[in-house]
Amino acid sequence: MLKRIEHLGIAVSDFESTEMVFESLLGAKAYKTEIVESEGVETMFFKIGESKIELLRPTNSESPIAKFLEKQKGGIHHIAFETDDIDAELARLKEEGYELIHQTPKGGADNKRIAFLHPKSTARVLVELCQDAK
Ligand code: CO
């Protein structure tokens, strides 16, 4: 099952100005930045209670985030739900008719196994499932 909102992914064109916004909004500094080469993104993470904010900026023009920013200037890109068993959840959701972008989990930022569901089948919201990688 899906347990909680692990993070919200927010697309940004530059980290500098957005980092200041979230630093003052949340009263805390980002705790890490990490490049995920396979996704063409650099990420920056903030903690807020039990959840996180993940800022995403493109590292190349083919990045899904670059494409998102072309259509929208920025804003919420995806919502990530935590699960203890991502393989079982993907199987369950596929069975229930959801369209999977990733048929099997892949390595994501912040030491996670992740997979995305297609927004077509999730009310136009890009949904990420994630599980702590052991
Ligand atoms: Co994410």
Side-chain angles (χ1 to χ4, degrees):
M1 65 180 210
L2 303 180
K3 297 188 339 186
R4 65 180 179 112
I5 295 174
E6 210 278 339
H7 65 269
L8 289 178
I10 296 173
V12 305
S13 45
D14 74 283
F15 275 172
E16 289 69 24
S17 60
T18 320
E19 182 176 9
M20 286 192 290
V21 169
F22 279 91
E23 251 185 46
S24 65
L25 188 61
L26 304 178
K29 289 195 176 301
Y31 68 91
K32 73 148 58 164
T33 61
E34 182 180 348
I35 290 175
V36 184
E37 211 52 77
S38 60
E39 289 289 303
V41 296
E42 183 171 8
T43 61
M44 177 182 286
F45 284 92
F46 293 86
K47 281 204 172 79
I48 170 72
E50 298 258 295
S51 302
K52 300 168 191 164
I53 300 291
E54 174 188 44
L55 303 185
L56 300 142
R57 73 171 172 188
T59 56
N60 64 65
S61 59
E62 294 306 303
S63 164
I65 297 301
K67 298 198 162 77
F68 182 85
L69 288 170
E70 276 169 27
K71 289 190 215 137
Q72 309 186 31
K73 291 200 184 329
I76 294 179
H77 176 259
H78 65 267
I79 179 168
F81 296 109
E82 183 178 62
T83 173
D84 286 333
D85 190 343
I86 192 168
D87 302 283
E89 277 305 293
L90 284 175
R92 176 182 74 84
L93 293 168
K94 187 173 185 175
E95 177 73 25
E96 290 182 16
Y98 291 90
E99 190 175 325
L100 313 183
I101 293 177
H102 303 110
Q103 301 299 318
T104 53
K106 51 187 274 187
D110 215 19
N111 197 35
K112 302 279 186 206
R113 297 172 70 216
I114 66 164
F116 282 90
L117 307 182
H118 199 288
K120 259 196 313 213
S121 55
T122 47
R124 300 282 151 196
V125 177
L126 181 59
V127 170
E128 174 184 344
L129 308 186
C130 65
Q131 177 182 9
D132 279 329
K134 296 279 150 34

PDB file of all heavy atoms in Angstrom, residues 1-2 8 16 23-24 27 32 38 48 54 63-64 71 79 90 101 107 109 128:
ATOM      1  N   MET A   1       0.835  -1.204   0.000  1.00  0.00           N
ATOM      2  CA  MET A   1       0.000   0.000   0.000  1.00  0.00           C
ATOM      3  C   MET A   1       0.869   1.253   0.000  1.00  0.00           C
ATOM      4  O   MET A   1       2.063   1.193   0.299  1.00  0.00           O
ATOM      5  CB  MET A   1      -0.935   0.006   1.198  1.00  0.00           C
ATOM      6  CG  MET A   1      -0.218   0.106   2.543  1.00  0.00           C
ATOM      7  SD  MET A   1      -1.432   0.116   3.870  1.00  0.00           S
ATOM      8  CE  MET A   1      -0.572   1.105   5.074  1.00  0.00           C
ATOM      9  N   LEU A   2       0.249   2.365  -0.332  1.00  0.00           N
ATOM     10  CA  LEU A   2       0.955   3.640  -0.318  1.00  0.00           C
ATOM     11  C   LEU A   2       0.782   4.239   1.076  1.00  0.00           C
ATOM     12  O   LEU A   2      -0.328   4.312   1.596  1.00  0.00           O
ATOM     13  CB  LEU A   2       0.396   4.565  -1.398  1.00  0.00           C
ATOM     14  CG  LEU A   2       0.454   3.978  -2.814  1.00  0.00           C
ATOM     15  CD1 LEU A   2      -0.117   4.956  -3.829  1.00  0.00           C
ATOM     16  CD2 LEU A   2       1.879   3.595  -3.191  1.00  0.00           C
ATOM     17  N   LEU A   8       7.174  16.161  -2.684  1.00  0.00           N
ATOM     18  CA  LEU A   8       6.620  16.816  -3.867  1.00  0.00           C
ATOM     19  C   LEU A   8       7.785  17.250  -4.720  1.00  0.00           C
ATOM     20  O   LEU A   8       8.759  17.819  -4.208  1.00  0.00           O
ATOM     21  CB  LEU A   8       5.808  18.056  -3.473  1.00  0.00           C
ATOM     22  CG  LEU A   8       4.477  17.827  -2.776  1.00  0.00           C
ATOM     23  CD1 LEU A   8       3.841  19.171  -2.432  1.00  0.00           C
ATOM     24  CD2 LEU A   8       3.522  17.033  -3.670  1.00  0.00           C
ATOM     25  N   GLU A  16      19.254  28.845  -7.662  1.00  0.00           N
ATOM     26  CA  GLU A  16      19.678  29.926  -6.774  1.00  0.00           C
ATOM     27  C   GLU A  16      18.489  30.685  -6.174  1.00  0.00           C
ATOM     28  O   GLU A  16      18.363  30.798  -4.961  1.00  0.00           O
ATOM     29  CB  GLU A  16      20.634  30.873  -7.510  1.00  0.00           C
ATOM     30  CG  GLU A  16      22.015  30.262  -7.774  1.00  0.00           C
ATOM     31  CD  GLU A  16      22.027  29.123  -8.816  1.00  0.00           C
ATOM     32  OE1 GLU A  16      21.108  29.084  -9.676  1.00  0.00           O
ATOM     33  OE2 GLU A  16      22.926  28.268  -8.757  1.00  0.00           O
ATOM     34  N   GLU A  23      14.264  28.078   1.478  1.00  0.00           N
ATOM     35  CA  GLU A  23      15.003  28.260   2.736  1.00  0.00           C
ATOM     36  C   GLU A  23      14.228  29.153   3.691  1.00  0.00           C
ATOM     37  O   GLU A  23      14.080  28.825   4.875  1.00  0.00           O
ATOM     38  CB  GLU A  23      16.362  28.901   2.447  1.00  0.00           C
ATOM     39  CG  GLU A  23      17.518  27.954   2.641  1.00  0.00           C
ATOM     40  CD  GLU A  23      18.854  28.675   2.462  1.00  0.00           C
ATOM     41  OE1 GLU A  23      19.018  29.773   3.025  1.00  0.00           O
ATOM     42  OE2 GLU A  23      19.682  28.125   1.736  1.00  0.00           O
ATOM     43  N   SER A  24      13.722  30.260   3.182  1.00  0.00           N
ATOM     44  CA  SER A  24      13.013  31.177   4.086  1.00  0.00           C
ATOM     45  C   SER A  24      11.608  30.667   4.389  1.00  0.00           C
ATOM     46  O   SER A  24      11.116  30.811   5.505  1.00  0.00           O
ATOM     47  CB  SER A  24      12.987  32.594   3.514  1.00  0.00           C
ATOM     48  OG  SER A  24      12.243  32.631   2.332  1.00  0.00           O
ATOM     49  N   GLY A  27      12.322  27.604   6.688  1.00  0.00           N
ATOM     50  CA  GLY A  27      13.218  27.882   7.808  1.00  0.00           C
ATOM     51  C   GLY A  27      14.306  26.843   7.962  1.00  0.00           C
ATOM     52  O   GLY A  27      14.765  26.561   9.071  1.00  0.00           O
ATOM     53  N   LYS A  32      20.598  18.244   0.766  1.00  0.00           N
ATOM     54  CA  LYS A  32      21.484  17.632  -0.233  1.00  0.00           C
ATOM     55  C   LYS A  32      21.126  18.069  -1.643  1.00  0.00           C
ATOM     56  O   LYS A  32      19.990  18.465  -1.915  1.00  0.00           O
ATOM     57  CB  LYS A  32      21.482  16.102  -0.136  1.00  0.00           C
ATOM     58  CG  LYS A  32      20.217  15.433  -0.638  1.00  0.00           C
ATOM     59  CD  LYS A  32      20.420  14.053  -1.276  1.00  0.00           C
ATOM     60  CE  LYS A  32      21.053  12.994  -0.452  1.00  0.00           C
ATOM     61  NZ  LYS A  32      20.876  11.639  -0.982  1.00  0.00           N
ATOM     62  N   SER A  38      20.509   9.572 -15.325  1.00  0.00           N
ATOM     63  CA  SER A  38      19.568   8.824 -16.169  1.00  0.00           C
ATOM     64  C   SER A  38      18.295   9.626 -16.439  1.00  0.00           C
ATOM     65  O   SER A  38      17.605   9.390 -17.428  1.00  0.00           O
ATOM     66  CB  SER A  38      19.214   7.491 -15.509  1.00  0.00           C
ATOM     67  OG  SER A  38      18.611   7.722 -14.249  1.00  0.00           O
ATOM     68  N   ILE A  48      10.511  18.804   5.363  1.00  0.00           N
ATOM     69  CA  ILE A  48       9.430  19.515   6.045  1.00  0.00           C
ATOM     70  C   ILE A  48       8.606  18.462   6.777  1.00  0.00           C
ATOM     71  O   ILE A  48       7.861  17.708   6.157  1.00  0.00           O
ATOM     72  CB  ILE A  48       8.597  20.386   5.067  1.00  0.00           C
ATOM     73  CG1 ILE A  48       7.340  20.935   5.733  1.00  0.00           C
ATOM     74  CG2 ILE A  48       8.247  19.658   3.781  1.00  0.00           C
ATOM     75  CD1 ILE A  48       7.583  22.011   6.737  1.00  0.00           C
ATOM     76  N   GLU A  54      11.387  18.294  -3.262  1.00  0.00           N
ATOM     77  CA  GLU A  54      12.472  17.972  -4.197  1.00  0.00           C
ATOM     78  C   GLU A  54      12.435  18.996  -5.329  1.00  0.00           C
ATOM     79  O   GLU A  54      11.491  19.014  -6.120  1.00  0.00           O
ATOM     80  CB  GLU A  54      12.251  16.556  -4.764  1.00  0.00           C
ATOM     81  CG  GLU A  54      13.228  16.143  -5.854  1.00  0.00           C
ATOM     82  CD  GLU A  54      12.848  14.805  -6.523  1.00  0.00           C
ATOM     83  OE1 GLU A  54      11.661  14.592  -6.834  1.00  0.00           O
ATOM     84  OE2 GLU A  54      13.755  13.980  -6.715  1.00  0.00           O
ATOM     85  N   SER A  63      16.034  16.553 -21.119  1.00  0.00           N
ATOM     86  CA  SER A  63      15.484  16.172 -19.819  1.00  0.00           C
ATOM     87  C   SER A  63      13.967  16.360 -19.796  1.00  0.00           C
ATOM     88  O   SER A  63      13.447  17.329 -20.350  1.00  0.00           O
ATOM     89  CB  SER A  63      16.123  17.058 -18.747  1.00  0.00           C
ATOM     90  OG  SER A  63      15.389  17.008 -17.553  1.00  0.00           O
ATOM     91  N   PRO A  64      13.233  15.436 -19.170  1.00  0.00           N
ATOM     92  CA  PRO A  64      11.784  15.632 -19.009  1.00  0.00           C
ATOM     93  C   PRO A  64      11.464  16.957 -18.306  1.00  0.00           C
ATOM     94  O   PRO A  64      10.420  17.562 -18.559  1.00  0.00           O
ATOM     95  CB  PRO A  64      11.354  14.443 -18.136  1.00  0.00           C
ATOM     96  CG  PRO A  64      12.447  13.450 -18.213  1.00  0.00           C
ATOM     97  CD  PRO A  64      13.705  14.180 -18.562  1.00  0.00           C
ATOM     98  N   LYS A  71       6.717  24.047 -21.393  1.00  0.00           N
ATOM     99  CA  LYS A  71       5.259  24.176 -21.418  1.00  0.00           C
ATOM    100  C   LYS A  71       4.767  25.058 -20.283  1.00  0.00           C
ATOM    101  O   LYS A  71       3.840  25.844 -20.437  1.00  0.00           O
ATOM    102  CB  LYS A  71       4.603  22.803 -21.309  1.00  0.00           C
ATOM    103  CG  LYS A  71       4.785  21.973 -22.568  1.00  0.00           C
ATOM    104  CD  LYS A  71       3.911  20.726 -22.522  1.00  0.00           C
ATOM    105  CE  LYS A  71       4.609  19.566 -23.197  1.00  0.00           C
ATOM    106  NZ  LYS A  71       4.481  18.321 -22.451  1.00  0.00           N
ATOM    107  N   ILE A  79       4.020  14.162  -7.563  1.00  0.00           N
ATOM    108  CA  ILE A  79       3.794  13.833  -6.161  1.00  0.00           C
ATOM    109  C   ILE A  79       4.320  12.417  -5.967  1.00  0.00           C
ATOM    110  O   ILE A  79       4.064  11.538  -6.791  1.00  0.00           O
ATOM    111  CB  ILE A  79       2.298  13.982  -5.791  1.00  0.00           C
ATOM    112  CG1 ILE A  79       2.045  13.616  -4.336  1.00  0.00           C
ATOM    113  CG2 ILE A  79       1.398  13.154  -6.683  1.00  0.00           C
ATOM    114  CD1 ILE A  79       0.650  14.036  -3.877  1.00  0.00           C
ATOM    115  N   LEU A  90       3.386  -1.765  -7.899  1.00  0.00           N
ATOM    116  CA  LEU A  90       3.328  -1.637  -9.360  1.00  0.00           C
ATOM    117  C   LEU A  90       2.438  -2.722  -9.948  1.00  0.00           C
ATOM    118  O   LEU A  90       1.639  -2.460 -10.852  1.00  0.00           O
ATOM    119  CB  LEU A  90       4.734  -1.710  -9.961  1.00  0.00           C
ATOM    120  CG  LEU A  90       5.600  -0.458  -9.818  1.00  0.00           C
ATOM    121  CD1 LEU A  90       6.999  -0.716 -10.353  1.00  0.00           C
ATOM    122  CD2 LEU A  90       4.969   0.743 -10.525  1.00  0.00           C
ATOM    123  N   ILE A 101       4.661   4.163 -16.376  1.00  0.00           N
ATOM    124  CA  ILE A 101       5.754   4.663 -17.221  1.00  0.00           C
ATOM    125  C   ILE A 101       6.938   3.708 -17.098  1.00  0.00           C
ATOM    126  O   ILE A 101       7.583   3.379 -18.087  1.00  0.00           O
ATOM    127  CB  ILE A 101       6.141   6.108 -16.834  1.00  0.00           C
ATOM    128  CG1 ILE A 101       4.989   7.054 -17.181  1.00  0.00           C
ATOM    129  CG2 ILE A 101       7.427   6.528 -17.546  1.00  0.00           C
ATOM    130  CD1 ILE A 101       5.215   8.505 -16.782  1.00  0.00           C
ATOM    131  N   GLY A 107      16.665   3.187 -10.179  1.00  0.00           N
ATOM    132  CA  GLY A 107      17.322   3.964  -9.133  1.00  0.00           C
ATOM    133  C   GLY A 107      16.974   5.438  -9.254  1.00  0.00           C
ATOM    134  O   GLY A 107      17.009   5.997 -10.347  1.00  0.00           O
ATOM    135  N   ALA A 109      16.875   9.518  -7.008  1.00  0.00           N
ATOM    136  CA  ALA A 109      17.654  10.343  -6.077  1.00  0.00           C
ATOM    137  C   ALA A 109      17.368   9.928  -4.639  1.00  0.00           C
ATOM    138  O   ALA A 109      16.362   9.267  -4.348  1.00  0.00           O
ATOM    139  CB  ALA A 109      17.301  11.813  -6.284  1.00  0.00           C
ATOM    140  N   GLU A 128       4.759   9.439  -8.615  1.00  0.00           N
ATOM    141  CA  GLU A 128       5.959   8.616  -8.415  1.00  0.00           C
ATOM    142  C   GLU A 128       5.712   7.708  -7.221  1.00  0.00           C
ATOM    143  O   GLU A 128       5.151   8.143  -6.218  1.00  0.00           O
ATOM    144  CB  GLU A 128       7.153   9.549  -8.126  1.00  0.00           C
ATOM    145  CG  GLU A 128       8.444   8.821  -7.753  1.00  0.00           C
ATOM    146  CD  GLU A 128       9.581   9.808  -7.365  1.00  0.00           C
ATOM    147  OE1 GLU A 128       9.472  11.007  -7.666  1.00  0.00           O
ATOM    148  OE2 GLU A 128      10.536   9.340  -6.735  1.00  0.00           O
TER     149      GLU A 128
END
